[in-house]
Amino acid sequence: QVQLVESGGGLVQPGGSLRLSCTASGFTFSNYAMSWYRRAPGKERELVATITTGGRTNYADSLKGRFTISRVNAENTVYLQMNSLKPEGTAVYYCKAVWLHTFWGQGTQVTVSS
């Protein structure tokens, strides 16, 4: 059974940091490009960051320098380090796996508020 399970979300103050994790099972993780997306209240889902099987990364322009995506294939896990968080970063964050198939996780809530 394919699963992507996100964790690490929560409430953080503006300027704070969080690290999200997404652990995969049921497929060959190392063959898949991995991405993080987010959906803010009342907005469309948007791409946050992508990491290829070879480790090449890409970020939304507005997040470059503050967010870092990484993967550890031995752990079947992709991470998203989020620094200097802003209130507009409040959203549900999802991970996505893409190769022969596309898989989505259920999401984890991040709330940036004082």
Side-chain angles (χ1 to χ4, degrees):
Q1 180 183 0
V2 171
Q3 279 193 308
L4 289 172
V5 180
E6 299 97 336
S7 61
L11 174 64
V12 62
Q13 291 188 342
S17 298
L18 280 177
R19 188 176 81 153
L20 305 183
S21 302
C22 170
T23 300
S25 60
F27 62 97
T28 306
F29 177 80
S30 59
N31 287 344
Y32 282 71
M34 299 299 298
S35 299
W36 286 95
Y37 283 74
R38 68 184 182 184
R39 177 176 283 152
K43 295 190 176 181
E44 297 290 319
R45 187 164 55 190
E46 65 174 349
L47 176 65
V48 172
T50 295
I51 185 166
T52 68
T53 56
R56 192 165 62 248
T57 59
N58 188 49
Y59 298 90
D61 286 343
S62 63
L63 302 176
K64 288 178 181 177
R66 296 192 296 118
F67 285 22
T68 303
I69 188 171
S70 61
R71 65 189 298 160
V72 179
N73 289 340
E75 297 176 358
N76 286 349
T77 300
V78 60
Y79 298 97
L80 183 68
Q81 178 67 43
M82 306 185 294
N83 298 328
S84 302
L85 281 161
K86 302 178 180 180
E88 53 264 40
T90 295
V92 178
Y93 286 72
Y94 301 88
C95 67
K96 174 183 165 183
V98 177
W99 185 45
L100 296 179
H101 305 281
T102 298
F103 306 122
W104 288 92
Q106 293 299 306
T108 186
Q109 175 71 47
V110 172
T111 302
V112 185
S113 175
S114 55

